[in-house]
Amino acid sequence: MFDIGFFELLVIGVVALLVLGPQRLPMAARTCGLWLGRLRRTVGSIQSEIREELRMEELKRTTAIEKEQLERELREMSQPFSDSPFETGTADNAKDSGEAGINTDESKTSDKKETP
């Protein structure tokens, strides 16, 4: 966290001993240790929450990409079937239009009578 060496810790300890005295120094060290522990736990929990949120965003992004790929593959796979004349709707429509054309042509020719 901080780049504090042994010499710096020794100076802080000597100053704390001179300022607080030998009777209050253990209580102050304990309180300082508790605060530092709480601070570390808080920072650690915030970091883990941020990591979890980033992981969830990454999962959402990858699932969206995979969903898009699957939908694209499904469209590509269903494309040949929609162009097929064997499809029931297309074949029936073609058959109906062909029969209707034949019937109308016959009615036109039967209406016309040849005159000499």
Side-chain angles (χ1 to χ4, degrees):
M1 191 151 119
F2 298 110
D3 191 23
I4 298 176
F6 179 74
F7 182 72
E8 288 88 4
L9 287 175
L10 185 64
V11 170
I12 291 171
V14 170
V15 170
L17 181 63
L18 292 175
V19 171
L20 296 175
Q23 293 174 347
R24 290 187 283 173
L25 184 61
M27 183 65 91
R30 187 178 309 123
T31 305
C32 184
L34 289 174
W35 284 354
L36 284 176
R38 287 180 187 165
L39 181 67
R40 283 185 179 179
R41 281 191 298 275
T42 304
V43 168
S45 69
I46 290 171
Q47 284 178 344
S48 66
E49 287 178 16
I50 290 172
R51 272 191 234 113
E52 186 67 23
E53 287 294 323
L54 290 173
R55 189 178 72 81
M56 291 298 289
E57 287 297 320
E58 182 67 27
L59 284 174
K60 286 179 184 178
R61 190 177 313 122
T62 56
T63 54
I65 291 170
E66 299 232 349
K67 180 182 176 186
E68 183 180 309
Q69 287 176 343
L70 287 173
E71 288 174 349
R72 188 176 337 118
E73 288 176 8
L74 181 64
R75 283 192 304 268
E76 289 174 0
M77 293 174 93
S78 64
Q79 181 87 21
F81 297 112
S82 64
D83 295 341
S84 174
F86 298 111
E87 197 170 312
T88 58
T90 309
D92 289 341
N93 291 341
K95 183 179 178 183
D96 291 341
S97 66
E99 287 176 0
I102 292 171
N103 290 339
T104 57
D105 289 340
E106 288 176 4
S107 63
K108 288 180 184 177
T109 56
S110 64
D111 288 342
K112 293 182 183 177
K113 294 184 180 179
E114 291 184 24
T115 55

